[in-house]
Amino acid sequence: MASSLLLQLCIIFVVFGLAFAQLSENYYAKSCPQAKCIIKDEVRKTIKKEPGMGGSLLHLHFHDCGVGGCDGSILLDDTPKTPGEKSSLINVNSTWGYEVIDRIKARLEKTCPGVVSCADILAAAARDSVVTLGGPTWALPLGRRDSTEPHRMLTDTLGSLFNANLQALVMAFKQQGYTMEEFVALTGSHTIGRARCLTFRKHIYDDKNINPAFAKAMQAHCPKVGNDSERIPIDSTTPYVFDNAYFKNLLQQKGLLAIDQELYTGKGGITDAIVANYSSNQDIFFKQYVTAITKFGQTGVLTGNKGEVRTNCRKVNAPKA
C-alpha cells in the first residue's frame, strides 16, 4: 500500500475522467464574504503549531479528489449501514487533518450557516497550506457541493491501481490532457509530504537506485520490523517548506519513495529532464504546479442542485421535514 500522491492521482482518471464545471472565484462574495479569511486564518494557526499538517491538508484534498471527484466524500465518517472512505485500506492511517477541517467548518457555520461546502474547504485549505509554507498561490474557483454518500466500494475496488508504475501513470495523465511537465509538477507536492515507514521500507533496504548514506539514515527511523506507522518527511532537506528541494533530492538519489526516485534515473528516463529542470528553476516548477493543481482541483465536482452543502462535514444532512 503506497501513500504517494502519484498513485492517488490515477484513480479519478480511470473511472470518471475530467469533468470541469462552472465554478467562480467570487462564489461566496455575497453569501459569505469572510469565508476565505476564516479558512486562511485557521490553516495558518494550525501550521504554526504543527508544520507537518500543511502537507497533510494538501494530501487530504488529493485523496478526496482521487475517488469520485472533489466532493468532500472522504470526510464522511462510517455509519452502521455505510462505511466511509477514510477507513478504507488506502486511507486508514494514511490521511490526517480531519479535525482541522472540523474547526474551519465550525467557524464558518457560526458566521454563515449552511453556505460553505466541505469540498470547498478542502480545496481552499490545500491552497492556503501551500502558500503558508512558501509555495505559490493560485486563483481558486469555488462552488463545489458535497456528496451525500461516500465512494467506499469504488475506493476498495481501485486499490489495485496503487501498484501502477511510472509509465502507466504518465499515460493516464496524458490521456486526460495533462502534459508530462504538469504530471511531474504535481508530484512536487511531496516536498511538504510525509510517508509511513511501511510505504518506503522496501526501497531503503532492497533497492539499488538510492543514495547509500541516505538509505542508512532512513533505516534509523524505519527498522526492518516494526514502526510501520512512523511518519517521515519525504523531503529530508526542507521538509516544511514548499520549494523545489524534492527534485534536487531526486538528482542525488534521495527519493524516499520508490515511485519518487523512479522519476529520475540519471540514465535518460522519460522524466529525467523535467526533474532536472525543476531542480534548477523553482519558478518554472511553481508555474507548472499552479496550472496542474488548478485543473485537478476541478475534477468531478458537484455543482448546482447536485449534492448538498453539509452542515457537519462528517455526516450528511438530516432529511428535511
Side-chain angles (χ1 to χ4, degrees):
M1 179 176 64
S3 63
S4 169
L5 285 177
L6 278 172
L7 302 181
Q8 304 290 346
L9 298 178
C10 188
I11 293 180
I12 184 71
F13 302 142
V14 175
V15 179
F16 293 97
L18 293 174
F20 299 113
Q22 296 301 313
L23 305 177
S24 169
E25 291 180 57
N26 300 316
Y27 188 81
Y28 297 112
K30 293 183 179 180
S31 59
C32 191
Q34 308 97 319
K36 293 180 180 179
C37 290
I38 289 174
I39 297 171
K40 183 182 298 183
D41 179 63
E42 199 63 44
V43 168
R44 287 179 174 176
K45 289 194 301 184
T46 297
I47 291 177
K48 185 177 181 179
K49 293 180 179 179
E50 186 181 353
M53 190 55 71
S56 296
L57 291 171
L58 178 59
H59 194 55
L60 192 59
H61 175 51
F62 273 105
H63 274 240
D64 180 47
C65 297
V67 179
C70 308
D71 60 4
S73 59
I74 195 172
L75 301 174
L76 291 168
D77 284 339
D78 291 357
T79 69
K81 294 183 178 180
T82 308
E85 295 172 33
K86 63 176 67 172
S87 62
S88 68
L89 183 61
I90 61 174
N91 287 325
V92 68
N93 298 322
S94 295
T95 52
W96 300 270
Y98 298 106
E99 69 287 348
V100 181
I101 303 302
D102 289 340
R103 290 199 298 268
I104 295 172
K105 182 61 172 174
R107 286 184 61 180
L108 288 169
E109 285 300 306
K110 288 182 180 180
T111 304
C112 35
V115 174
V116 183
S117 71
C118 302
D120 274 346
I121 294 173
L122 281 173
R127 192 270 308 271
D128 293 342
S129 292
V130 170
V131 175
T132 300
L133 293 174
T137 189
W138 58 91
L140 184 64
L142 300 170
R144 300 164 186 79
R145 285 170 65 85
D146 300 322
S147 173
T148 55
E149 59 183 4
H151 310 296
R152 176 57 181 266
M153 184 177 297
L154 181 61
T155 305
D156 291 339
T157 301
L158 294 175
S160 61
L161 288 177
F162 285 73
N163 293 318
N165 60 25
L166 179 60
Q167 186 74 40
L169 291 167
V170 168
M171 287 303 299
F173 273 77
K174 184 177 180 180
Q175 289 171 2
Q176 298 301 327
Y178 283 79
T179 66
M180 196 176 298
E181 287 77 11
E182 291 169 347
F183 163 74
V184 176
L186 282 177
T187 70
S189 298
H190 282 177
T191 191
I192 56 170
R194 290 177 288 179
R196 290 188 300 149
C197 173
L198 181 66
T199 66
F200 60 83
R201 177 181 284 121
K202 184 178 186 302
H203 179 53
I204 64 174
Y205 282 99
D206 299 339
D207 290 349
K208 301 300 181 183
N209 61 333
I210 187 170
N211 181 295
F214 174 73
K216 186 174 182 180
M218 294 302 102
Q219 289 169 10
H221 299 282
C222 183
K224 287 187 176 182
V225 178
N227 279 15
D228 285 357
S229 294
E230 180 77 10
R231 287 188 285 170
I232 303 297
I234 298 174
D235 172 6
S236 59
T237 306
T238 54
Y240 305 124
V241 179
F242 195 100
D243 55 17
N244 65 340
Y246 163 78
F247 297 107
K248 293 180 179 180
N249 292 340
L250 295 183
L251 265 62
Q252 300 176 42
Q253 289 190 304
K254 294 181 179 179
L256 184 63
L257 297 166
I259 190 66
D260 285 331
Q261 194 58 60
E262 194 176 345
L263 287 170
Y264 186 80
T265 65
K267 301 176 181 179
I270 59 173
T271 54
D272 276 15
I274 300 171
V275 171
N277 191 23
Y278 290 165
S279 72
S280 63
N281 194 320
Q282 182 169 276
D283 289 341
I284 292 178
F285 161 49
F286 280 5
K287 182 179 179 180
Q288 292 289 349
Y289 187 84
V290 165
T291 299
I293 197 168
T294 301
K295 186 186 301 185
F296 190 76
Q298 297 181 60
T299 305
V301 298
L302 301 174
T303 59
N305 294 322
K306 296 180 180 179
E308 64 181 14
V309 175
R310 288 188 230 128
T311 57
N312 181 335
C313 290
R314 292 178 177 267
K315 60 183 181 180
V316 299
N317 295 338
K320 294 182 179 181

